[in-house]
Amino acid sequence: MEIIEKAPAKINLGLDALYKREDGYHELEMVMASVDLADRLFFETLTENQIIIETDNSFIPVDQKNHAFAAAELVKKKFQIETGVRIYIEKRIPVAAGLAGGSSDCAATLRGLNRLWNLGLSNQDLADLGSEIGSDVPYCIEGGTAFVTGRGERIEKMPPMPQCWVVLVKPKMSVSTGSIFGSLSFNSIQHPDIPALKAAVMANDYDKMTQTIGNALEGVTIQKHPVVQQIKDRMLKFGADAALMSGSGPTVFALCDKKTRAQRIYNGLKGFCEEVYLVRTLK
């Protein structure tokens, strides 16, 4: 039997770092949303007691460094599963891009193995497991639009963000999340108005939402990688209603309520960066 799970990418409409906690993590407030760019994972039971990861992307590790492998290993250990599994990852989300591709693959693996092995686990059970692997995994279990706090483990579901077009642009580089948080200075940080953003999404107010999106990590990443600001400037020049870096970067997204403008941004950035995507938000 083969089971298939989709693993959607996420964007951060809002990301604020409040303080550094005693455990070394940062206390965060985020508004996150899923977009229609997704990996697909295929699961097949093996009689041999092993985990095999296969993928169409040569940059993806296929051992314990892969979040899907780590998820499968954790589930097998926790529930004493003695059969094996082959997981094929059809990769569409850019790697190390601030779009939670690895975390979403991990969440899809937990959902897929829950079905494959008839474990009967709730989404909260899966989120608790996922939090042992990565901070974004609990959100990725359900996806959609959510208010996320703590280091990422506390999830408050929200109504879907106002429907719009999203242009995603990833420059040809990767960013270390740890290095960005490590360079964060609370003396100079610009805190976005997360309560106002949350209220705008709750009210389905697209205009107010585009006025209140913000990312406290953006200044740090731009200082290290000025191309992020260049992409933002081009997006706004071509007519974006708003443009923002997602997560710790380097991917930048533009929001547009009109497809024609989104298409213009897509065309205008296609020559500037190789990885450009025109997608919709997910209901």
Side-chain angles (χ1 to χ4, degrees):
M1 179 177 71
E2 183 179 70
I3 282 176
I4 303 173
E5 283 282 340
K6 285 184 72 174
K10 64 83 183 166
I11 55 173
N12 292 90
L13 298 172
L15 190 161
D16 196 10
L18 305 182
Y19 55 86
K20 190 168 185 179
R21 305 172 357 167
E22 290 184 1
D23 62 6
Y25 290 99
H26 285 74
E27 185 70 19
L28 303 175
E29 285 188 345
M30 301 180 285
V31 177
M32 302 167 79
S34 301
V35 296
D36 193 19
L37 173 66
D39 297 342
R40 285 204 305 168
L41 282 75
F42 302 80
F43 302 87
E44 180 186 356
T45 299
L46 299 176
T47 54
E48 304 87 358
N49 189 5
Q50 60 180 325
I51 300 167
I52 297 176
I53 303 288
E54 298 174 344
T55 177
D56 59 355
N57 188 311
S58 60
F59 294 104
I60 302 298
V62 293
D63 55 12
Q64 286 89 344
K65 294 177 183 177
N66 186 298
H67 277 9
F69 189 107
E73 196 171 49
L74 180 62
V75 170
K76 281 175 62 61
K77 181 179 178 181
K78 289 262 186 184
F79 300 97
Q80 299 178 330
I81 306 294
E82 296 185 357
T83 55
V85 63
R86 175 184 285 111
I87 304 171
Y88 181 81
I89 304 173
E90 186 179 272
K91 197 71 183 161
R92 295 297 175 265
I93 303 172
V95 179
L99 299 173
S103 295
S104 195
D105 288 350
C106 178
T109 299
L110 293 171
R111 293 194 307 268
L113 295 181
N114 190 34
R115 293 167 55 203
L116 188 71
W117 291 330
N118 298 309
L119 299 176
L121 301 174
S122 67
N123 279 351
Q124 185 58 56
D125 294 331
L126 298 177
D128 291 342
L129 285 171
S131 67
E132 298 184 33
I133 300 172
S135 297
D136 284 339
V137 179
Y139 161 77
C140 292
I141 291 294
E142 286 196 58
T145 305
F147 178 56
V148 181
T149 56
R151 67 177 180 90
E153 77 279 9
R154 297 197 295 270
I155 316 295
E156 178 188 323
K157 292 291 289 180
M158 295 172 61
M161 67 174 283
Q163 278 268 281
C164 61
W165 295 91
V166 183
V167 182
L168 300 164
V169 178
K170 180 188 179 290
K172 200 170 185 178
M173 64 184 187
S174 297
V175 168
S176 163
T177 299
S179 72
I180 299 302
F181 273 105
S183 302
L184 192 62
S185 169
F186 285 96
N187 294 325
S188 58
I189 191 171
Q190 291 189 343
H191 296 282
D193 191 344
I194 298 294
L197 171 61
K198 185 181 175 185
V201 173
M202 296 292 287
N204 199 40
D205 188 333
Y206 176 78
D207 291 335
K208 188 67 173 175
M209 179 186 74
T210 58
Q211 294 164 15
T212 51
I213 65 171
N215 185 340
L217 303 181
E218 196 176 62
V220 179
T221 304
I222 286 173
Q223 192 170 20
K224 293 175 179 286
H225 306 285
V227 67
V228 171
Q229 184 64 55
Q230 294 169 20
I231 293 170
K232 282 190 67 177
D233 292 343
R234 285 174 181 246
M235 286 175 160
L236 294 169
K237 176 184 173 184
F238 287 122
D241 295 320
L244 189 72
M245 185 184 78
S246 184
S248 57
T251 299
V252 183
F253 65 89
L255 302 180
C256 298
D257 62 350
K258 299 283 193 300
K259 186 179 182 181
T260 50
R261 267 186 292 145
Q263 189 69 55
R264 186 163 68 240
I265 295 165
Y266 174 86
N267 294 340
L269 271 297
K270 194 66 178 166
F272 189 66
C273 293
E274 289 182 13
E275 294 190 89
V276 184
Y277 307 87
L278 174 56
V279 299
R280 288 282 272 171
T281 50
L282 289 180
K283 294 184 179 179

